[in-house]
Amino acid sequence: SEHAHTRYNPLKGEWVLVSPHRTKRPWCGQVEDGPDEGIPEFDPKNPLCPGVMRHIGQVNPNYKSTFTFTNDYPALLEDVPSPPPSSDPLFQMESAQGTCRVMCFHPKSNITLPLMTVSEIRDIIDKWIEELTELGKKYIWVQIFENKGAIMGCSNPHPHCQIWASGFFPNEPRIKEHYQLEYYKKFKRPLLMDYVSKELEKKERIVTENVDWVVVVPYWAVWPYETMLLPKTHLKRFSDLKSKQRDSLASIIKVQIEFGSNSISILPVIVRKGGWSGAPTGPKLYEDVSHWVFHGVYYPPLLRSATIKKFMVGYEMLAQCQRDLTQEQAAEKLRNVPDIHYKQENE
């Protein structure tokens, strides 16, 4: 808790430098603007709002719950030509086929996940699983992710996420595939299920839990207030969830993000990035993927307050990732914040 040390991430084969003594240093760096509280419930110029015409000329339906559409400016396209083969090991190229979708969580722009009801979050979970099941029939990887907040690069305040499906296996899940499989071959058990068991036993980094799920600050967390949401029973994909597990997931998502929204010296944190990982799909749908464990990750990009951002720069880009406060200190801070959203607490 006081001295610099490194920790190993068995999920990715990487190390993180932990430097807890650096929390004592004064801050003279960049300070971001505070959270924007002036978001209207409806903005006729916002292309994600119900009934608004998007830039390509399509009009959104007057949706009452979730609404999904193909991204008007996608990073991936379904029909792209294949590049010519290359025999040069230094210059390799492959086609990148896929599709990108936008999913609106709620018709109101000034509503965020922790302010939604558990029932509304359950509707979102059902839609996530529906999209994953559909796209997973064709694509090897379906990435559901959310960027929230202007300092995270989010270009629209309306509550939404993105779903990118690709015909190629992206770097992050490909690395997780490798290390989970190696662990499974060696110990005959899923890596993350062993990890869950040990975290439940140690109780040092648990933020919150319920009957089906546990939220921890991972032992190897890179971002100061990074959390991981894990199942207590072995689930390989999002689509494995039964109805009761979906209900309990909705409940813990609400609590987890409320902790994040109220945390870090009790300042409102409404920026985050996160998403879901599970066994690959498409051509791997019928393969044995017992080594995979479905999980979610949240990465609030904050260093010590709601307006001081954690940057991954110099040492992180050239050597390895570094963090200041320990993972246990972060978990304790998150555990001790109110479980009622700061906006509701002030009403």
Side-chain angles (χ1 to χ4, degrees), residues 1-2 19-27 304 324-325 329:
S1 61
E2 297 180 10
S19 312
H21 55 285
R22 280 169 54 85
T23 58
K24 299 175 183 178
R25 76 192 194 279
W27 184 257
R304 55 173 69 185
D324 292 350
L325 81 167
Q329 290 166 340

Side-chain angles (χ1 to χ4, degrees), residues 64-76:
K64 304 298 181 183
S65 178
T66 63
F67 167 54
T68 304
F69 62 93
T70 300
N71 197 316
D72 298 331
Y73 304 97
L76 294 165

Side-chain angles (χ1 to χ4, degrees), residues 200-316:
L200 289 171
E201 179 184 340
K202 292 178 181 295
K203 299 188 183 301
E204 295 175 335
R205 288 165 292 274
I206 293 176
V207 177
T208 186
E209 63 178 303
N210 63 21
V211 64
D212 295 311
W213 306 91
V214 60
V215 176
V216 302
V217 175
Y219 176 79
W220 52 80
V222 167
W223 296 89
Y225 292 91
E226 173 182 337
T227 57
M228 178 180 281
L229 196 161
L230 291 153
K232 292 184 176 180
T233 56
H234 189 195
L235 300 169
K236 291 172 281 190
R237 294 187 176 96
F238 218 153
S239 51
D240 291 347
L241 273 67
K242 306 300 183 185
S243 181
K244 289 185 178 179
Q245 291 169 319
R246 297 185 189 192
D247 288 339
S248 58
L249 179 60
S251 296
I252 205 165
I253 285 175
K254 181 175 175 65
V255 172
Q256 177 189 15
I257 300 180
E258 281 175 350
F259 280 167
S261 297
N262 293 331
S263 65
I264 311 181
S265 301
I266 320 299
L267 289 172
V269 178
I270 60 169
V271 295
R272 63 183 179 272
K273 57 181 178 179
W276 303 102
S277 291
T281 50
K284 292 185 176 290
L285 271 175
Y286 303 103
E287 293 183 6
D288 182 3
V289 289
S290 299
H291 53 290
W292 267 94
V293 175
F294 169 73
H295 61 281
V297 289
Y298 285 81
Y299 302 124
L302 302 165
L303 185 62
R304 55 173 69 185
S305 77
T307 56
I308 298 179
K309 182 181 177 182
K310 166 66 176 177
F311 288 94
M312 293 294 184
V313 287
Y315 189 84
E316 289 90 349

Side-chain angles (χ1 to χ4, degrees), residues 5 16 37 49 62 65 73 119 184 206 232 317 335:
H5 58 279
V16 56
E37 304 289 357
C49 284
N62 288 309
S65 178
Y73 304 97
S119 176
Y184 191 82
I206 293 176
K232 292 184 176 180
M317 295 184 71
R335 276 195 304 270

Side-chain angles (χ1 to χ4, degrees), residues 15 27 36 56 76 118 137 139 146 159 173 175 180 189 197 214 224 239 247 281 299 329:
W15 292 82
W27 184 257
D36 183 5
I56 62 170
L76 294 165
V118 172
K137 293 176 182 177
Y139 295 107
E146 178 193 12
I175 292 169
Q180 288 181 102
R189 299 184 302 273
S197 296
V214 60
S239 51
D247 288 339
T281 50
Y299 302 124
Q329 290 166 340

Side-chain angles (χ1 to χ4, degrees), residues 58-203:
Q58 291 188 356
V59 177
N60 297 333
N62 288 309
Y63 61 93
K64 304 298 181 183
S65 178
T66 63
F67 167 54
T68 304
F69 62 93
T70 300
N71 197 316
D72 298 331
Y73 304 97
L76 294 165
L77 298 171
E78 294 188 65
D79 186 17
V80 293
S82 296
S86 171
S87 58
D88 192 324
L90 300 179
F91 297 94
Q92 295 290 315
M93 185 186 300
E94 294 182 358
S95 65
Q97 294 181 328
T99 187
C100 300
R101 295 180 180 177
V102 176
M103 176 179 160
C104 298
F105 293 157
H106 197 279
K108 296 181 181 179
S109 290
N110 59 352
I111 295 294
T112 60
L113 272 173
L115 292 173
M116 294 181 194
T117 65
V118 172
S119 176
E120 289 171 330
I121 297 174
R122 168 62 196 265
D123 289 341
I124 293 169
I125 291 170
D126 288 341
K127 188 62 178 178
W128 277 337
I129 294 173
E130 179 184 323
E131 293 288 334
L132 174 68
T133 302
E134 178 195 341
L135 293 169
K137 293 176 182 177
K138 178 178 181 180
Y139 295 107
I140 190 172
W141 192 252
V142 181
Q143 184 61 65
I144 302 169
F145 67 96
E146 178 193 12
N147 294 326
K148 176 65 178 174
I151 70 170
M152 270 309 309
C154 181
S155 60
N156 194 308
H158 193 88
H160 72 285
C161 73
Q162 297 189 58
I163 305 171
W164 291 15
S166 62
F168 59 89
F169 208 1
N171 291 336
E172 292 292 311
R174 181 168 48 82
I175 292 169
K176 289 182 178 182
E177 161 82 9
H178 171 80
Y179 284 98
Q180 288 181 102
L181 183 57
E182 289 298 304
Y183 186 95
Y184 191 82
K185 287 179 179 178
K186 185 175 181 179
F187 298 105
K188 311 303 179 187
R189 299 184 302 273
L191 183 159
L192 284 176
M193 293 315 301
D194 276 0
Y195 177 65
V196 168
S197 296
K198 292 179 180 180
E199 287 288 21
L200 289 171
E201 179 184 340
K202 292 178 181 295
K203 299 188 183 301

